[in-house]
Amino acid sequence: MNTSFEDDVLELITEADLVSLTAALIAAAGENPGGTEDATVKVLEAFCLGAGLVTATESVAPERPNFTAVLPGGSSPGLLFLGHSDVVPAGDGWEHPPFEPYERDGRLYGRGSTDMKGGLAAVAVALKALKEAGVELPGAVMFACTVDEEDLGIGIREYTRVHAGDANFSGCIVAEPTDLGTVIGCRGDSYIELAIQGKSAHSGRPADGRNAIDAAARIIELLREDHRELQMHQDPLLGAGSWNVGLIRGGSGTSMVAGECTVSLDRRLMPDDDAGAILAALQQRIIDAGISRDGISVSAWVSMEMPGFRTAEDHPLVRDAVAALADCGFESGIGGWTAACDGGFIARDFGVPTIVMGPGGLNDQAHQVNESVSISELVTAARAYALLCLRHRPDQ
């Protein structure tokens, strides 16, 4: 690619565009659960239509549309940029109203600024610059923004289902916040629900009942043992799978033997893990421990699964991402995430090499009170995305 042409594209990426669009996306809110992503999608759609991109929306649920914008190109496999339109609830304790964005000391504040309205804006502004420059790419670039990433992932599941037959991508860049690091692997996640049924009785005669909370406690001990075993096998990039007991509810009164108990579990997944197999193994351990007998029954099911992924460090997509960031003045480290993201579905369902690379800090800003994103990182991300589109060739 001609260097002067690259410079022309980069000149079209402006801080003003990035701040304006990110602020508008923050103001559109989209708290999940309890809200709608429709307003965010409308902001993104208006910007992309104004940039001359080909846009589409696909309803996933009422007021919850997936959104795509396409920069047309040739017939070769192109790049997919992926993001999500929802944000976690703002909560209390903010210095300013969370959905009234403002700038201070080179940062833009508001719920979703880092996770991930800033990343969405960086992708959209990069594609706008490529379009304005009249770029002719060998393959089309698609920007997909899905709903419900922060909860059950119904958006990405619908996107992969609808587009399974027409996916033509050489790589996927998830614009989630990585402090502009290049993340080549993520753990996945799954939710496992337990419903434990016992028999209620008066607490003065506990032997007359079968205590479901006691049974839950025994199951939790099995999970603690398995968690300890998992930590003995650490992957250098991603760590290990893990268990967490997130919710437990049971019983109907202090003076009664608990006749029922429900437990919600979070099981983090390594890229090769399968939540169904993990569930089956847990059910067998419960049986082997003798918990589900003598009046106790245990039902268990997977309510959510988000696969992990891993892309080779020497893959051209990784190489090109690191080089693009370097040419934008940022030396990007290569690493992994213990968090999960929608990119795992693209890697698994489309068989597409996937990385995560975007503006903002996952650990110090995402889901935090007074969330903010560095404006300079927005600019660097948008420019790096544009260079990736210009340079990446899957056959090189």
Side-chain angles (χ1 to χ4, degrees):
M1 181 64 63
N2 185 285
T3 303
S4 63
F5 188 72
E6 289 184 350
D7 291 341
D8 292 341
V9 172
L10 296 185
E11 284 296 319
L12 293 169
I13 295 172
T14 68
E15 180 179 303
D17 268 354
L18 285 159
V19 171
S20 174
L21 180 55
T22 303
L25 291 168
I26 292 169
E31 290 176 293
N32 185 27
T36 171
E37 295 93 339
D38 188 57
T40 298
V41 169
K42 281 183 167 58
V43 170
L44 204 55
E45 182 179 36
F47 182 90
C48 291
L49 281 172
L53 304 175
V54 180
T55 68
T57 57
E58 297 164 341
S59 179
V60 179
E63 297 188 282
R64 308 191 79 179
N66 283 345
F67 170 78
T68 56
V70 178
L71 177 66
S75 59
S76 297
L79 290 175
L80 169 66
F81 287 88
L82 181 65
H84 61 85
S85 50
D86 57 326
V87 300
V88 296
D92 300 323
W94 289 71
E95 294 179 2
H96 297 274
F99 297 110
E100 295 180 12
Y102 66 96
E103 293 180 56
R104 186 176 68 197
D105 298 330
R107 301 186 70 84
L108 184 61
Y109 285 78
R111 170 57 85 221
S113 52
T114 275
D115 189 12
M116 59 168 297
K117 302 299 181 65
L120 297 180
V123 175
V125 169
L127 297 187
K128 175 177 180 282
L130 291 165
K131 179 67 175 178
E132 288 181 353
V135 169
E136 295 182 8
L137 297 173
V141 176
M142 176 173 280
F143 175 25
C145 180
T146 62
V147 300
D148 196 45
E149 191 271 351
E150 298 288 5
D151 193 14
L152 298 178
I154 63 172
I156 188 64
R157 297 169 202 277
E158 180 68 4
Y159 175 80
T160 54
R161 185 190 70 80
V162 169
H163 295 281
D166 57 24
N168 186 31
F169 306 121
S170 62
C172 173
I173 301 94
V174 185
E176 291 266 24
T178 65
D179 290 309
L180 297 181
T182 301
V183 169
I184 62 173
C186 289
R187 289 196 307 175
D189 194 11
S190 63
Y191 296 164
I192 293 177
E193 311 295 336
L194 303 179
I196 304 159
Q197 188 65 46
K199 179 184 176 183
S200 182
H202 193 286
S203 60
R205 293 172 56 90
D208 291 347
R210 298 294 181 267
N211 197 310
I213 292 177
D214 284 351
R218 294 181 62 192
I219 294 172
I220 290 170
E221 281 304 309
L222 295 180
L223 300 176
R224 287 164 60 88
E225 292 174 10
D226 192 44
H227 178 84
R228 285 192 292 268
E229 292 173 10
L230 291 168
Q231 304 320 299
M232 296 174 65
H233 305 283
Q234 294 283 325
D235 179 272
L237 182 68
L238 300 177
S242 60
W243 287 101
N244 180 68
V245 181
L247 292 171
I248 184 166
R249 300 185 180 91
S252 54
T254 304
S255 63
M256 298 176 67
V257 173
E260 74 292 319
C261 183
T262 61
V263 183
S264 295
L265 308 170
D266 182 298
R267 175 55 158 84
R268 298 288 157 156
L269 306 173
M270 300 300 285
D272 295 330
D273 282 342
D274 175 78
I278 290 169
L279 172 63
L282 173 60
Q283 290 173 311
Q284 189 60 52
R285 292 186 73 170
I286 292 170
I287 292 170
D288 292 345
I291 297 172
S292 55
R293 64 185 185 191
D294 189 28
I296 294 288
S297 63
V298 181
S299 300
W301 63 94
V302 176
S303 61
M304 188 281 292
E305 180 178 8
M306 180 179 285
F309 71 89
R310 186 194 305 260
T311 298
E313 186 172 343
D314 60 357
H315 191 277
L317 179 65
V318 179
R319 175 199 66 205
D320 290 346
V322 172
L325 284 162
D327 288 344
C328 293
F330 186 87
E331 297 300 321
S332 175
I334 295 175
W337 253 12
T338 56
C341 73
D342 280 350
F345 289 95
I346 302 299
R348 184 191 69 182
D349 298 345
F350 291 169
V352 171
T354 299
I355 62 172
V356 189
M357 184 263 281
L362 178 71
N363 295 322
D364 65 335
Q365 294 297 329
H367 301 191
Q368 303 295 314
V369 170
N370 300 321
E371 178 183 352
S372 68
V373 66
S374 163
I375 294 171
S376 66
E377 282 193 21
L378 295 178
V379 175
T380 300
R383 291 178 175 174
Y385 294 155
L387 290 180
L388 259 176
C389 293
L390 291 168
R391 296 174 178 178
H392 181 64
R393 300 294 184 271
D395 54 349
Q396 294 180 1

